[in-house]
Amino acid sequence: MQKRGPVWSRHGIEEQGLATTGTVYWNLPPAWAYEEAVKRGEAAISADGALICHTGEFTGRSPNDKFVVEEPGSQSQVWWGKVNKPIAPAAFDRLFDKARTHLAGKDLFVFDGYAGADPRYRLPVRVITESAWQSLFAANMFVREADPAKLADFRPGFVVLDAMNAKADPAADGTRTSTFILLHLAKNMVLIGGTQYAGEIKKSVFTVMNYVLPGKGILPMHCSANYGQDRDDVALFFGLSGTGKTTLSADPERTLIGDDEHAWSDDGIFNIEGGCYAKVIRLSKEGEPDIWEASHRFGTILENVEFGPESRKLDLDSTRFTENTRSSYPITHLRNSDPAGVSGHPRDVVFLTCDAFGVLPPLSRLAGPQAMYHFLSGYTAKVAGTERGVTEPSATFSPCFGGPFLPRHPGVYAEMLGRKLEQHGARVWLLNTGWTGGPYGVGARMKLGLTRRLVHAALSGELEKAPTRPDPIFGLAIPGDVSGVPGTVLRPWESWSDRAAYDASAAKLARMFADNFKQYESGVSAAIRAAGPKI
């Protein structure tokens, strides 16, 4: 096979059992990746220099098509069930052969880099794709290796093989559909096919880190992170997609560490990624200037964003292809970021929820048992476009605010978080970025400016000794007064025009919390069990 690129590893793709009669492009710089993507009809270039790509049928993740290979080395440690569905090693081998055959005559693109900004704990990752733009996506999202000598000797610790146009035969291959995302922990490989959505690459590597890091005593977390005056003034923002992790962590008064995936070691926090993957639907320059500017730059990839065919100007308000329009860019595209991706221990931990019922207060402080209760519950609402079939917000509980990416039992991560919170004395907050004044369809979504004001009040210490009052059902400690925030918003039952309707909705949500938490009751303390809402 012919090899091209600035530098390629002596540990070639042959070590992954791959061969092709085409050309293998290694570690292409952005300009070269652009040229290949445009030449191959994969993408167009926007008026501002971003690369615009369309992901075809799939504009979000396909969690129901993800499987974990059931093999002796990891079988006892995997949290089997709806999230981690087992598939036989023989099925993986069949699909790997199918992918290998599919790729045999094609040009391939290889990115070698790392998951993990801290060199002591990072995982060497190789991403092999059949499209140039997905290779650039990997370069944007993971930590790049700048040393040519290290790239020439790069040996991957984990491989993502993305054969996006290869399709499974469900009857023969044991999959649900023609799409497949297979994690083989013994072979250190993720195999993807039947979907062009690049987010599968990103989240597959995160899933791997969620398996690997706890074995080293390190807590992986689905959260964004930033710091204030110094690297010891750290805040974490946990939450599922659409709850505000990226938006709220991109604070002009604080320095961004990363927008989505981090780990907490005995030394502090480090970013798992090297870039950001922001939702850009209805993105405004006034509301989110940093993300807006990053999304209008060379080197950025825009997924499923509409643009003028003649002007090449972006239409970020369009939902023609999906609500889940995305922008992938290296963290260095943000002026107020720390590319080193390493900091001290957090002072504040914020759990983000997008409450579609309009019941939870916009900000409340959680005591120790409450923090564990809400971490295991992971309540939010899935928002349109994040996953296939989700067209409007719907209530969901995702343990650790990242259930789809947890290969181990949620209790493993909760126990680790509880120890670290106690050890370092971090304050814990619950922040509702969802609805106020009524449920979805009646009330209004929390205004971003109001949410930012509440975050500032929490992180600055302004509320450290402020009086609070308990939520009547959920027992949450609600600040009695926050300058610039109406009291009726702080106390959601006062924002509804019909108090009886609020009480009914709150009782309904409380029952949902209680029903969901039954699966964890036998494995937690009485104090944690008692920290839930009162029905």
Side-chain angles (χ1 to χ4, degrees):
M1 66 186 74
Q2 183 181 1
K3 299 179 181 180
R4 298 191 66 191
V7 59
W8 51 82
S9 172
R10 66 184 181 87
H11 302 287
I13 64 173
E14 300 88 349
E15 295 187 10
Q16 282 79 61
L18 297 175
T20 178
T21 56
T23 299
V24 181
Y25 294 86
W26 288 81
N27 300 303
L28 295 187
W32 193 341
Y34 265 51
E35 291 173 0
E36 293 297 332
V38 172
K39 179 174 67 177
R40 296 161 192 270
E42 300 173 3
I45 302 174
S46 78
D48 302 291
L51 193 69
I52 309 173
C53 307
H54 293 285
T55 61
E57 177 186 358
F58 299 92
T59 57
R61 291 182 295 105
S62 301
N64 294 327
D65 294 310
K66 186 185 79 173
F67 298 86
V68 179
V69 176
E70 192 172 18
E71 49 83 26
S74 60
Q75 186 175 14
S76 63
Q77 301 178 64
V78 173
W79 177 40
W80 299 106
K82 184 179 179 181
V83 170
N84 300 298
K85 299 179 290 295
I87 196 167
F92 178 92
D93 292 341
R94 283 196 304 272
L95 283 166
F96 177 75
D97 287 341
K98 184 173 289 188
R100 182 166 53 183
T101 300
H102 169 77
L103 298 173
K106 298 182 179 297
D107 292 344
L108 300 179
F109 299 85
V110 181
F111 165 78
D112 285 339
Y114 306 98
D118 192 325
R120 294 168 293 182
Y121 310 118
R122 65 190 184 188
L123 177 68
V125 173
R126 172 169 292 171
V127 181
I128 305 170
T129 65
E130 59 177 297
S131 68
W133 81 265
Q134 285 194 336
S135 190
L136 179 59
F137 176 88
N140 280 354
M141 299 315 305
F142 302 118
V143 179
R144 301 180 188 183
E145 174 57 74
D147 186 340
K150 291 182 178 179
L151 279 176
D153 198 42
F154 188 92
R155 184 191 293 270
F158 225 94
V159 175
V160 178
L161 177 58
D162 192 325
M164 64 182 187
N165 292 315
K167 295 185 181 297
D169 178 351
D173 297 323
T175 57
R176 188 183 69 93
T177 67
S178 60
T179 299
F180 55 94
I181 303 99
L182 310 181
L183 170 59
H184 201 313
L185 291 164
K187 291 190 175 182
N188 297 324
M189 180 176 283
V190 172
L191 181 61
I192 300 173
T195 173
Q196 298 179 40
Y197 185 63
E200 300 289 8
I201 297 173
K202 166 185 157 69
K203 288 305 186 186
S204 291
V205 173
F206 183 46
T207 301
V208 170
M209 294 297 275
N210 274 312
Y211 181 81
V212 171
L213 291 179
K216 300 179 179 180
I218 300 169
L219 172 63
M221 304 173 293
H222 189 215
C223 69
S224 59
N226 62 25
Y227 60 81
Q229 295 300 315
D230 55 60
R231 285 188 171 89
D232 292 322
D233 179 18
V234 177
L236 306 181
F237 299 84
F238 284 85
L240 292 178
S241 177
T243 56
K245 290 193 310 301
T246 298
T247 298
L248 294 174
S249 58
D251 186 331
E253 297 182 10
R254 298 174 66 85
T255 300
L256 180 70
I257 304 169
D259 82 325
D260 194 46
E261 301 169 9
H262 291 81
W264 193 348
S265 73
D266 290 339
D267 304 300
I269 301 298
F270 65 88
N271 193 359
I272 289 177
E273 299 182 298
C276 301
Y277 195 38
K279 290 191 72 170
V280 292
I281 190 66
R282 291 177 285 276
L283 182 73
S284 73
K285 188 174 183 178
E286 296 72 28
E288 300 176 73
D290 293 334
I291 298 173
W292 192 94
E293 289 180 11
S295 300
H296 290 74
R297 287 187 58 178
F298 174 82
T300 291
I301 296 173
L302 298 175
E303 290 181 352
N304 304 309
V305 171
E306 189 168 13
F307 62 95
E310 303 297 333
S311 68
R312 295 296 196 270
K313 290 184 178 179
L314 304 177
D315 182 359
L316 296 179
D317 293 328
S318 173
T319 59
R320 176 186 173 191
F321 302 107
T322 178
E323 282 269 347
N324 193 36
T325 53
R326 291 277 179 169
S327 176
S328 162
Y329 47 87
I331 198 167
T332 50
H333 272 24
L334 296 173
R335 292 171 296 179
N336 200 27
S337 65
D338 187 345
V342 179
S343 67
H345 299 286
R347 291 180 182 172
D348 292 276
V349 173
V350 182
F351 296 156
L352 300 173
T353 180
C354 175
D355 177 25
F357 287 83
V359 165
L360 294 180
L363 181 71
S364 53
R365 188 164 178 180
L366 305 180
Q370 285 180 320
M372 291 298 93
Y373 184 94
H374 283 274
F375 185 64
L376 281 169
S377 297
Y379 166 69
T380 189
K382 290 180 180 177
V383 295
T386 303
E387 294 180 6
R388 295 176 62 199
V390 179
T391 57
E392 63 181 39
S394 60
T396 187
F397 292 88
S398 185
C400 310
F401 296 95
F405 322 118
L406 303 183
R408 298 177 184 267
H409 191 279
V412 172
Y413 311 98
E415 182 181 357
M416 294 182 74
L417 178 64
R419 288 200 307 267
K420 289 185 177 294
L421 290 175
E422 184 176 2
Q423 180 182 357
H424 298 286
R427 298 172 294 210
V428 184
W429 309 88
L430 183 66
L431 185 76
N432 175 22
T433 62
W435 278 260
T436 182
Y440 171 77
V442 177
R445 188 83 187 260
M446 296 283 182
K447 294 185 182 300
L448 179 58
L450 181 148
T451 299
R452 287 193 186 280
R453 171 71 189 103
L454 290 170
V455 170
H456 180 269
L459 303 190
S460 67
E462 176 184 331
L463 303 180
E464 183 63 33
K465 296 182 179 180
T468 63
R469 62 179 296 178
D471 180 283
I473 292 180
F474 290 85
L476 305 168
I478 302 173
D481 179 66
V482 178
S483 176
V485 182
T488 54
V489 174
L490 291 173
R491 299 176 291 276
W493 57 88
E494 295 181 9
S495 69
W496 285 50
S497 59
D498 185 342
R499 176 61 189 265
Y502 168 84
D503 289 341
S505 188
K508 178 181 178 181
L509 183 58
R511 285 192 295 270
M512 293 174 67
F513 265 89
D515 290 344
N516 172 74
F517 204 79
K518 288 177 181 178
Q519 61 186 308
Y520 307 118
E521 286 181 345
S522 62
V524 301
S525 67
I528 295 175
R529 290 196 299 272
K534 304 299 184 287
I535 300 177

